[in-house]
Amino acid sequence: GTTVLVDNRPGAGGQIAAQALKTAAPDGTTFFVTHDHTISILPLVLKHPGFDPVRDFVPVAGFATFANALALSGGTPASSLPEYLAWVKKQGGQGNVGVPAPASVPEFLVKLLGEKNGLSLLSVPYRGSAPMIADMLGNQISAGVGSVPDLIANHQQKKLRIVAVMGQQRQGVLPEVPTFAELGISGFEELPYYGIFAPAGTSPAVIERFSNALAGVLGQHGVKQRLAELGLSVGMMSAAQLAARERAYSAVWARLIKAGGFQPQ
């Protein structure tokens, strides 16, 4: 019964969209659909992100988790992570790996992969997954790290090969692909999340109404099935549960980022 406008604000890892939410009136007409990078990672890697998720936003509800994955381009002569690492070693130990954004979880994953295997793996940041995948399809870059939802279609069409995923267990949509933990790369078990946020000061009654509506939508078999096909693990999180997940995820990555010697820019 309500007209909804989807206002895409791409760029800067969600920073532009987050700043738009910060300045929106807390009247229940503006919500922000986003994932972990904007809410949990940007405040850790930028000195001045232009927003504070704790002070400027309120959680509304969460609806899914997803996994980041390492995928190989069609022209890369490897079909598994060990084979890829061996191939890079034969190339002199140097390789370029695309990532959707600088100072992101994919970039930290690339750095750790290189360090653990004595390789010089260089992250090549793109402005989102779409241009990175386009370069992978054109074999302009041998590998890339992105979310399973972004990579799954090309993997299923055998245009790219997903060879490892984050998380404690394999993804239901990719039962044949091992986790990084299975391959001896620990520290990437905590899965990213998708959530909905509102400007600080939004009425609790509005948040409850929106959360209840979302729960009803996620209860529809067709919606749940379609999201699962896209590589999302669907699961309703209340405002309190989303806030707790945000805190836990941020704490994990704060430790990993500090251990890696990364300095906020």
Side-chain angles (χ1 to χ4, degrees):
T2 301
T3 299
V4 176
L5 171 66
V6 178
D7 185 6
N8 288 312
R9 298 289 185 96
Q15 189 177 5
I16 295 170
Q19 291 172 352
L21 183 73
K22 177 182 176 180
T23 59
D27 57 6
T29 62
T30 303
F31 296 87
F32 182 33
V33 180
T34 185
H35 55 60
D36 64 296
H37 180 72
T38 306
I39 297 297
S40 292
I41 303 301
L42 282 183
L44 297 175
V45 299
L46 296 178
K47 291 180 179 178
H48 306 291
F51 65 92
D52 181 334
V54 175
R55 184 186 65 226
D56 299 326
F57 306 153
V58 289
V60 176
F63 58 90
T65 59
F66 65 97
N68 283 309
L70 175 69
L72 307 181
S73 303
T76 304
S79 57
S80 67
L81 179 58
E83 287 182 10
Y84 170 70
L85 296 173
W87 176 73
V88 172
K89 192 165 290 187
K90 288 181 180 179
Q91 308 304 306
Q94 297 184 333
N96 295 330
V97 182
V99 297
S104 59
V105 168
E107 180 172 314
F108 300 129
L109 172 60
V110 172
K111 184 175 186 293
L112 186 61
L113 272 177
E115 289 175 349
K116 281 186 172 292
N117 292 279
L119 303 173
S120 179
L121 293 180
L122 176 66
S123 294
V124 180
Y126 285 80
R127 299 187 67 176
S129 293
M132 178 191 78
I133 292 172
D135 274 3
M136 292 177 68
L137 293 174
N139 290 313
Q140 296 178 46
I141 191 165
S142 63
V145 178
S147 72
V148 168
D150 286 339
L151 296 166
I152 187 66
N154 284 298
H155 172 81
Q156 291 171 338
Q157 295 167 19
K158 301 188 185 305
K159 296 178 180 178
L160 302 174
R161 295 185 300 282
I162 297 176
V163 295
V165 297
M166 293 175 61
Q168 296 180 0
Q169 57 192 25
R170 297 188 182 195
Q171 294 294 293
V173 74
L174 293 166
E176 77 284 4
V177 178
T179 65
F180 284 103
E182 287 180 73
L183 298 171
I185 309 294
S186 61
F188 296 94
E189 292 75 38
E190 187 74 22
L191 287 178
Y193 58 85
Y194 268 107
I196 299 174
F197 296 80
T202 300
S203 162
V206 169
I207 292 173
E208 182 179 9
R209 179 169 176 250
F210 195 107
S211 181
N212 290 339
L214 178 63
V217 170
L218 292 179
Q220 298 176 17
H221 176 71
V223 172
K224 206 166 186 178
Q225 182 178 21
R226 179 59 183 141
L227 292 175
E229 289 171 354
L230 293 172
L232 296 174
S233 297
V234 182
M236 178 68 188
M237 288 178 273
S238 67
Q241 289 171 328
L242 177 58
R245 185 167 191 86
E246 175 192 342
R247 289 193 299 270
Y249 190 85
S250 297
V252 167
W253 279 100
R255 291 194 297 271
L256 288 172
I257 291 170
K258 183 177 181 181
F262 183 88
Q263 296 296 321
Q265 301 169 353

